[in-house]
Amino acid sequence: MYILGAIRQSVEHNSTGGMELVSHDLYKGLVAVGFEVEVLTSALKNQDVSEMNIDGVKYIFIKNAPSGTYSNELHEGIKSYLQSLMKINKKPLIIHSASAAAASVIKNAYKIPVIATWHGTNIEQELDRMMSYVYVERKTLLPSHCENLLRNICNNKRLHSDFQGFDGHVAISSFMKECIINYGVAEKDVTIINNALPEVFFQESPELNSFQKSKDKVLLGLVGRPIAMKGYEFFNKVLQRLDPEKYELMVVSGHKDALEYFKNSKIKTHFLSVERSQMPSVYALMDVYINPTFRYSGFDLTVQEALISGTVVLNSDIRPYQNYYNELQNELGERSPFFVFKVGDIDSCLSAINRIYVNKVKNHQVSYFTKKFKFQYMIEEYIKFFHDVNRRING
């Protein structure tokens, strides 16, 4: 069976993020189980390359489509390539769109279902701007900000039409599903599929000999880029009120800027930069992974990585994570190792950390998360959804 994919930039482009990596994981996973996969994308910058095979996935770079962006050239190139396929009777089972890359071929004349995976929408982008305004710039949110959000989303008929034109949608979280439905998409057309984790999290990890953990203290952990919206500055204020006899902090980041946030911390702080293959061992050392984010966009893979590594997770209650907390409470109840605190609230965060400490909470649900985040599980869920949508469209 043949699947045609579309993405604005590929893992071969110089500047890529989570969407490109997860999309490539999906495509190579489909190849591994017997699908033929071709993916249309924008041209490579300063390279005259038309095709490239990466992990069995054939990437086709559309000539004259500006690198890494949505453009008329990209959309016209995708439409033209589909027409050329139909001339040789090579009909895809599904056209898979990473976000809106395949918008030009929705409701095509060939009854080929077009399914989009959304790692973000305009709604979260607008909400992130508001969160930055309040928690980073420390300004007061005005009624006009909410009015602008509603006007930009509700009155954009073209955006609503594009969303409703797709035959199916994959959301990476329940909150993302809510966002998609807000564009007028029927709930039955949206399925939630968690991003899978790389194989390194399902294998025995190399020992971390460079770090000696204290036996008498709870080790808190932060992972990732030290950007303002990650909440590092906020968490530094939390640290100033924690007991240095009870807690230590590990900051895992390849960015030197992380040092600046915690250089005056009362809590003993360790700074690490390790290879990806060692991250499971790093998480396993942490007693509590903290994600004090202010961002609505996406769903931090670090949360999944910590949970599958046997670490307790404490997250700000931004809607995507509050939803996840509720889901785990429904499925695991008191056995859930995932907790939330009120976003931007120092006292709430302190109370949550101390409750975990006093109650000696541990993560005993690794087998549950192993099933949920396994690569093969994600591929199986996608294939099932592809076939369900195809049957609905073509009978």
Side-chain angles (χ1 to χ4, degrees), residues 61-81:
F61 304 97
I62 296 173
K63 189 177 180 181
N64 300 325
S67 181
T69 63
Y70 293 113
S71 65
N72 289 332
E73 292 86 351
L74 176 67
H75 291 306
E76 286 302 315
I78 291 170
K79 190 188 299 184
S80 176
Y81 191 80

Side-chain angles (χ1 to χ4, degrees), residues 7-25:
I7 189 169
R8 64 182 169 87
Q9 66 178 6
S10 73
V11 288
E12 190 62 26
H13 287 71
N14 289 331
S15 176
T16 58
M19 182 180 76
E20 292 79 18
L21 293 170
V22 172
S23 296
H24 182 66
D25 281 346

Side-chain angles (χ1 to χ4, degrees), residues 14 24 52 56 79 81 118 169 177 187 204 276 371:
N14 289 331
H24 182 66
M52 188 177 294
K79 190 188 299 184
Y81 191 80
W118 299 97
H169 302 262
K177 180 177 180 177
E187 186 172 359
E204 188 173 345
R276 180 70 164 160
K371 178 186 176 183

Side-chain angles (χ1 to χ4, degrees), residues 5 16 28 37 39 41 68 76 94 112 131 153 166 174 231 257 282 294-295 330 336 342 344:
T16 58
K28 73 179 182 183
V37 181
V39 182
T41 186
E76 286 302 315
I94 287 287
I112 304 168
M131 295 297 284
I153 301 303
F166 285 96
S174 62
D257 291 348
V282 171
F294 301 137
R295 298 180 66 210
N330 288 334
S336 172
K342 187 176 179 181

